[in-house]
Amino acid sequence: MNEHDERPGTTHFGFRDVPVADKQKLVGEVFSSVAGSYDLMNDLMSMGIHRVWKRYFVATAQVGRGARVLDLAGGTGDIAALLRDRVGDAGELVLGDINGSMLRVGRDRMVDRGNVQGFEYVQCNAQALPFPDASFDLVTIAFGLRNVTDKDAALSEMLRVLKVGGQARVLEFSEVTMDWFKPIYDFHSFKVLPRLGRLFAQDADSYRYLAESIRKHPPQEALKSMMEAAGFARCGYRNLTGGIVAIHDGYKA
Ligand code: SAM
């Protein structure tokens, strides 16, 4: 059994093994707690680099003017806001998230930025999407898959709602490839993040969960295999910032 394996009937919630039925509620509590400070914390934790990763993720996505796009686990809307420029006025963007608090912050931010037309907000679980087959040209999920209880179900759903030829893109924390950097990264994850969480979000535990959940997420090759097993064609990935995050792609054949 390796660190990414799970015992029958249980799953990971950070470093804890919890009953499968409990994980969604525990993840929900994390994001309800951090929704108001989520954007500030992202900037503090990553020193703003998450903005570069997200820009690159969207700039290199396979999408054109007028496309219909689903951004899953869309949270406070960073990816959807960037996608707006790619799909133009004729495009349609659906921001889906399981958490009402995150969706509300996302919708308010979008309205504040003047992004109103062409956006739809849907509270939904990535594991069981309320959309017909073949209804999107692109499906994205950024820093979301890690939190989903049944990742295989979510990948199958992403494939189902894609049109033939469409792309699924996953942006997620992954496995750092530079050995010299690992101790620094561990120090930042386990010592700095919970302190930042306590100071700026009055919540150290949620940021401890963040660090632990990253370590439990399937690394690059494992996630690629999961996408292949879900039925995606031409699966591949690209590491960013030495594997701190990776972008995985798959297509519907
Ligand atoms: N995509 C946004 C970004 O990059 O800033 C938000 C990422 S945030 C770390 C993770 C999001 O995943 C949260 O908004 C959470 O509510 C959502 N989430 C967790 N489990 C989910 C599920 N099963 N289905 C849909 N969304 C989920």
Side-chain angles (χ1 to χ4, degrees):
M1 199 177 221
N2 70 38
E3 62 174 321
H4 301 287
D5 289 336
E6 291 167 349
R7 288 205 315 270
T10 72
T11 190
H12 303 303
F13 176 71
F15 286 166
R16 279 162 59 196
D17 277 350
V18 298
V20 168
D22 292 357
K23 174 157 172 169
Q24 192 173 306
K25 181 171 164 285
L26 291 165
V27 170
E29 286 167 3
V30 167
F31 287 104
S32 294
S33 163
V34 305
S37 52
Y38 178 80
D39 296 315
L40 170 69
M41 280 298 292
N42 272 353
D43 280 332
L44 290 171
M45 288 184 308
S46 74
M47 293 170 284
I49 296 169
H50 76 105
R51 291 169 185 263
V52 180
W53 294 331
K54 287 171 177 170
R55 279 192 181 281
Y56 183 81
F57 178 69
V58 171
T60 56
Q62 176 194 279
V63 72
R65 306 303 250 186
R68 181 167 155 80
V69 181
L70 170 64
D71 180 40
L72 264 180
T76 58
D78 280 356
I79 300 297
L82 291 167
L83 280 164
R84 183 84 192 122
D85 292 337
R86 298 287 323 270
V87 302
D89 289 343
E92 286 176 61
L93 289 159
V94 180
L95 204 154
D97 198 289
I98 201 168
N99 190 294
S101 306
M102 292 290 281
L103 264 187
R104 264 189 300 281
V105 175
R107 192 189 50 213
D108 291 350
R109 278 183 72 206
M110 218 64 87
V111 171
D112 289 348
R113 293 169 178 176
N115 282 329
V116 179
Q117 212 185 327
F119 284 91
E120 199 186 323
Y121 302 87
V122 179
Q123 189 164 5
C124 61
N125 187 343
Q127 294 172 204
L129 294 174
F131 307 110
D133 296 357
S135 42
F136 295 97
D137 300 288
L138 168 70
V139 179
T140 55
I141 183 165
F143 303 114
L145 191 61
R146 190 181 74 247
N147 300 293
V148 175
T149 308
D150 187 343
K151 296 172 187 46
D152 296 321
L155 291 171
S156 295
E157 280 292 85
M158 289 167 72
L159 182 66
R160 180 183 67 76
V161 300
L162 263 185
K163 296 177 188 171
V164 170
Q167 183 190 50
R169 291 215 115 181
V170 182
L171 172 62
E172 191 51 271
F173 290 104
S174 208
E175 195 167 78
V176 168
T177 54
M178 305 162 294
D179 284 337
W180 63 267
F181 184 62
K182 287 180 181 168
I184 302 168
Y185 187 56
D186 282 346
F187 180 80
H188 179 73
S189 303
F190 294 109
K191 301 289 182 210
V192 179
L193 291 194
R195 283 195 173 87
L196 286 176
R198 189 177 312 120
L199 270 175
F200 293 96
Q202 290 73 52
D203 182 353
D205 288 348
S206 292
Y207 287 91
R208 195 167 297 115
Y209 161 74
L210 168 71
E212 293 178 0
S213 67
I214 291 170
R215 300 311 190 280
K216 288 293 187 182
H217 188 64
Q220 288 84 336
E221 282 296 327
L223 181 54
K224 181 180 168 208
S225 299
M226 286 168 68
M227 291 183 75
E228 285 166 348
F232 285 103
R234 294 187 282 130
C235 297
Y237 64 85
R238 169 175 292 226
N239 287 327
L240 304 183
T241 322
I244 293 179
V245 301
I247 295 174
H248 281 73
D249 288 319
Y251 297 81
K252 183 153 174 177

